[in-house]
Amino acid sequence: MDDEDAPLRLGHITYSNCFPVHAGLIDRGPPAGVRITEGVPSYLNGLLDRGEIDVAPCSSIEFARHAGDYRVLPDFVIGSRGPVRSIQFLTRRPPEQLDGCTVAMPTASATSVVLLKVLLRVRWGVQPEFVWFDQATEDPFAAGAEGALFIGDVALRADLFPDVPTRFDLGAEWMAHTGLPFAFAVWQAGGGTDAQLRDLHAALLESRAYGLANRAELARRYAEHFGFSAEFLDRYWADLSYELDEPMLRGLNHFYELAAQIGEIPSQPEIRFVDVAG
Ligand SMILES: C=C(O[C@@H]1C=C(C(=O)O)C=C[C@H]1O)C(=O)O
């Protein structure tokens, strides 16, 4: 993998939330020496774990599970500073009454699953039973769950189980509970040479700037691809956060602290970064 001529294998999340950072790479094509593989977050998490890709916007909780092997690429995040809209917890009863009930978790996710477990325990004081479901094909409520989590573009659908009365935006709940932003995904490197990662970092800065400068136009051109209106997509992208700044890092560290407290990760990891200064 440290072979000078081997391409850098970059993961891309198929959800619309990832597009603004990768906008330039997708819209104009990746730079020479970068090969893109796409999928849902848990698929990319698995590819990075198995060394089948070198770097990707993986679930932020994954870093804590591989802190000895991965490094975080500075500057980039898929995050929220309050409502995120695309991470929705739907429940048939008030969350404080979910003790011992079945809550279904989407196999596509890793971070939001832990975020919901944290909130259920520390904000709502309950310990449900958890089951997995495929949010692309399965109806967790028909299967008997009292609550279910949805992520990504599936969670943005206007017709998402309208008969389930109570729903929580987990970005908003996290902010209400901690006063902090939330980092759902960070770009994590498990492979690639230092030079490749430095070049990728520069390319991503440009790609994100292109996405920001052309947001409304890109929303028009990609609306049909994602299955939303241009106005909706533009607003959604405008409201998400793509900068891994100090408050976002405080939110991430606090999330790791709480995840460790409820036993989802062995301990709060120290975040190690790729050195992009050279
Ligand atoms: C904001 C989102 O964040 C996502 C949630 C992830 C997770 O729960 O593991 C991983 C990557 C992000 O795409 C979303 O999917 O809507």
Side-chain angles (χ1 to χ4, degrees), residues 13 15 17 41 59 78 84 86-87 109-112 151-152 184-185 236:
I13 300 174
Y15 302 150
N17 62 34
S59 304
I78 300 174
V84 57
S86 52
I87 307 289
S109 165
T111 291
S112 307
I151 76 160
F184 291 94
Y236 175 58

Side-chain angles (χ1 to χ4, degrees), residues 15 98 111 115 126 139-140 155 162 167 193 212 221 237 252 254:
Y15 302 150
L98 283 169
T111 291
L115 173 57
V126 291
D139 176 343
R167 49 194 68 204
T193 65
L212 190 61
R221 283 203 281 117
W237 285 344
L252 182 56
H254 190 45

Side-chain angles (χ1 to χ4, degrees), residues 8-271:
L8 184 75
R9 300 161 304 171
L10 169 68
H12 172 68
I13 300 174
T14 40
Y15 302 150
S16 57
N17 62 34
C18 185
F19 188 86
V21 176
H22 283 170
L25 307 191
I26 302 289
D27 198 49
R28 298 181 297 194
V34 174
R35 205 171 65 208
I36 296 180
T37 302
E38 59 177 44
V40 298
S42 58
Y43 175 70
L44 298 180
N45 296 344
L47 291 181
L48 192 67
D49 183 25
R50 294 191 299 277
E52 293 170 22
I53 54 174
D54 300 308
V55 53
C58 286
S59 304
S60 56
I61 197 70
E62 280 295 287
F63 178 78
R65 293 175 172 151
H66 300 269
D69 300 321
Y70 294 175
R71 287 171 301 158
V72 171
L73 206 60
D75 295 313
F76 306 103
V77 68
I78 300 174
S80 71
R81 297 170 206 265
V84 57
R85 297 165 81 181
S86 52
I87 307 289
Q88 295 282 338
F89 176 49
L90 275 57
T91 170
R92 290 196 186 281
R93 53 173 93 194
E96 296 83 358
Q97 294 171 22
L98 283 169
D99 228 357
C101 294
T102 301
V103 167
M105 298 292 203
T107 51
S109 165
T111 291
S112 307
V113 167
V114 176
L115 173 57
L116 179 55
K117 287 182 176 178
V118 164
L119 290 170
L120 285 163
R121 187 84 73 88
V122 304
R123 183 159 172 78
W124 294 311
V126 291
Q127 294 201 49
E129 303 283 332
F130 298 107
V131 294
W132 291 104
F133 79 110
D134 180 349
Q135 64 171 9
T137 59
E138 289 175 316
D139 176 343
F141 298 106
E146 288 292 313
L149 176 68
F150 298 87
I151 76 160
D153 293 342
V154 173
L156 293 170
R157 282 196 334 238
D159 63 346
L160 186 69
F161 298 99
D163 60 311
V164 178
T166 312
R167 49 194 68 204
F168 294 92
D169 177 315
L170 295 196
E173 289 305 307
W174 172 260
M175 174 60 85
H177 191 70
T178 64
L180 292 167
F182 192 84
F184 291 94
V186 288
W187 272 249
Q188 298 166 52
T193 65
D194 288 351
Q196 281 178 319
L197 294 172
R198 263 200 309 279
D199 288 351
L200 178 73
H201 180 262
L204 287 180
L205 285 175
E206 248 186 65
S207 173
R208 184 178 64 186
Y210 174 86
L212 190 61
N214 300 287
R215 199 183 64 221
E217 191 232 316
L218 290 165
R220 272 197 300 282
R221 283 203 281 117
Y222 286 85
E224 199 185 330
H225 170 80
F226 288 117
F228 301 113
S229 74
E231 295 68 35
F232 181 90
L233 202 51
D234 188 35
R235 191 74 254 148
Y236 175 58
W237 285 344
D239 290 345
L240 285 170
S241 290
Y242 293 106
E243 271 179 56
L244 187 57
D245 56 14
E246 270 309 311
M248 190 63 77
L249 279 169
R250 272 206 301 282
L252 182 56
N253 277 310
H254 190 45
F255 173 56
Y256 288 151
E257 191 185 333
L258 294 178
Q261 260 172 37
I262 66 161
E264 286 293 319
I265 51 174
S267 61
Q268 184 185 347
E270 192 195 322
I271 301 178

